[in-house]
Each structure stands twice: as C-alpha cells, then as structure tokens.
Amino acid sequence: QSALTQPASVSGSPGQSITISCTGTSSDIGSYNLVSWYQQLPGKAPKLMISEVNKRPSGVSDRFSGSKSGNTASLTISGLQAEDEGDYYCCSYAGSGNWVFGGGTKLTVL
Amino acid sequence: QVQLVQSGAEVKEPGASVKVSCEASGYSFNYYAIHWVRQAPGQRLEWMGWINAGNANTKYSENFQGRVTFIRVSASTAYMELSSLRSEDTAVYYCARGFEHAGGFDFWGQGALVTVSS
C-alpha cells in the first residue's frame, strides 16, 4: 500500500486561507468516504481535525474544513493563525481493514 | 475523559523484541478498535494495524506481517509486540482509538519511543 501524496510544505499569512491536497487512488480515497486529517505539533501526538471527509470533532475550530473529489481529498484552513503551524497528515481507509497515511505537509504561518 | 496511556521508552538491541502497552480509560473499551501507528524520526505516520478490543480480531499492515502481534490483555489494556528489531524500527509508537473501517482515530496515546541500537 503506497502512501497518499501530499505537498511537502504550504505556507500562508495570518488571516489567509490555505488548502492542503491529498491524492490517492480509486482503491482508497476514491472508493470510501473515510478520509481523516490530523494535526501534529512538534513533539506531540497527532490530533484528529476532520473525519469521514468533512466531519469536525467536537472542539475543533470551524476554520478547518474538508472535502473530496474523485481520488483527491483536501483540507482547508481559513483565517490562518500562528497556532495552526505544524504538520498535517491525511489518512484514508483502503479496504479489507487497511488504512494508509499521507506523507505529511508542513504548514508555515508567515 | 477518554485517555490512552502508553508504557515508557525502550532501548533494544537488533534482533530483540519489544512490547508497548496501551491502557485505556474513560470509555467502553470493548466497543472500539485500537490502532497502532508509528513515526520514525523526522518521518511520516505509518499505520501498523488494529485490534478489535471486543473480540480480539486483528488486522496487520502487510509491511509488518509476521513481525508484529497485537494482544488484548485485559478489559482496558492492549499490547503491541514487534520482533526481530532492526535499526529502521527506531520510532515513536502510538496507539489510537478508532474503528476497524469507519470514522477516524479520535484519541491517541502519548507515544512510546523505541530505540534499536547495539
């Protein structure tokens, strides 16, 4: 199972919006609405930000939103804040009980 | 509140085995699966597999098949055992709560650093 493809880095200024893409295949993202997104701050465990493509867990800011089209999922962060800086990972169900993560994207707030 | 608490850091020699525990509290343990995810230094998250905490069914990533075992040892604790360790297995190992094929991984342990070195 190959890792999902994410850009290595994205950046934006405070207040701007950014989008992180996550590209898979018809066997994972394209087949299931089971894409999730995780924020990982330095030295910390990952935190669930979006599940099932576009569901926000309780306590996660509504500045975070998710979507999917075909084999590509996206995470959009609006009203960028300094505290959003960190690494972001997508994850998808890949069938037969398997899951696969993306390569990760480093978000820099300028 | 939901918590997953993992065992501490380990240093192992190449060829040895390591066990990492994950103790859950604050929810009905049997209702969820425990997923295991590792992260080598400076690298991406890598999914290793899951154990259904209710019926102890397991699923292992093909990348670890034959070297990893997940065990449910009590009403609140699961273990991950990785054998035939090599230097490339040096990583932080996380447990996370989720389902076999639904949702996302909504609560994570603090991670356990396993260092493989002679």
Side-chain angles (χ1 to χ4, degrees):
Chain A
Q1 188 72 45
S2 299
L4 306 174
T5 301
Q6 299 181 233
S9 63
V10 298
S11 62
S13 299
Q16 286 186 329
S17 293
I18 63 95
T19 296
I20 300 172
S21 62
C22 171
T23 301
T25 70
S26 57
S27 298
D28 39 62
I29 293 177
S31 288
Y32 307 98
N33 289 325
L34 290 175
V35 178
S36 48
W37 289 90
Y38 301 87
Q39 176 194 64
Q40 188 177 34
L41 302 178
K44 300 294 187 182
K47 174 186 176 184
L48 178 66
M49 306 303 284
I50 296 287
S51 69
E52 297 179 344
V53 176
N54 56 16
K55 296 180 180 177
R56 235 179 0 260
S58 173
V60 172
S61 171
D62 60 4
R63 298 185 298 106
F64 292 82
S65 62
S67 62
K68 189 188 93 166
S69 177
N71 298 338
T72 299
S74 299
L75 173 71
T76 298
I77 308 174
S78 59
L80 207 57
Q81 299 179 0
E83 67 204 48
D84 299 331
E85 190 164 283
D87 295 327
Y88 289 82
Y89 292 90
C90 60
C91 180
S92 176
Y93 183 66
S96 301
N98 293 297
W99 295 78
V100 60
F101 280 95
T105 298
K106 182 176 182 61
L107 169 62
T108 300
V109 181
L110 302 171
Chain B
Q1 72 281 21
V2 175
Q3 274 194 304
L4 298 175
V5 178
Q6 299 183 231
S7 48
E10 303 257 17
V11 178
K12 296 291 183 180
E13 293 193 344
S17 297
V18 68
K19 271 187 182 178
V20 177
S21 68
C22 176
E23 183 174 9
S25 61
Y27 72 96
S28 182
F29 189 60
N30 289 350
Y31 189 66
Y32 292 85
I34 292 291
H35 291 256
W36 291 91
V37 177
R38 78 174 185 180
Q39 186 172 38
Q43 301 302 308
R44 71 178 188 94
L45 300 173
E46 183 178 17
W47 179 78
M48 299 178 69
W50 50 256
I51 180 167
N52 182 310
N55 59 22
N57 285 348
T58 55
K59 176 67 177 182
Y60 302 116
S61 164
E62 62 184 21
N63 293 338
F64 299 93
Q65 195 80 34
R67 276 210 306 144
V68 71
T69 305
F70 304 144
I71 308 163
R72 178 189 183 275
V73 295
S74 75
S76 63
T77 303
Y79 276 88
M80 183 278 297
E81 182 172 24
L82 187 62
S83 62
S84 302
L85 290 169
R86 36 210 190 226
S87 58
E88 310 90 88
D89 294 317
T90 294
V92 176
Y93 289 78
Y94 293 102
C95 62
R97 189 182 82 163
F99 293 101
E100 296 175 23
H101 35 71
F105 311 144
D106 59 354
F107 287 92
W108 293 65
Q110 82 276 20
L113 175 61
V114 174
T115 302
V116 182
S117 173
S118 54

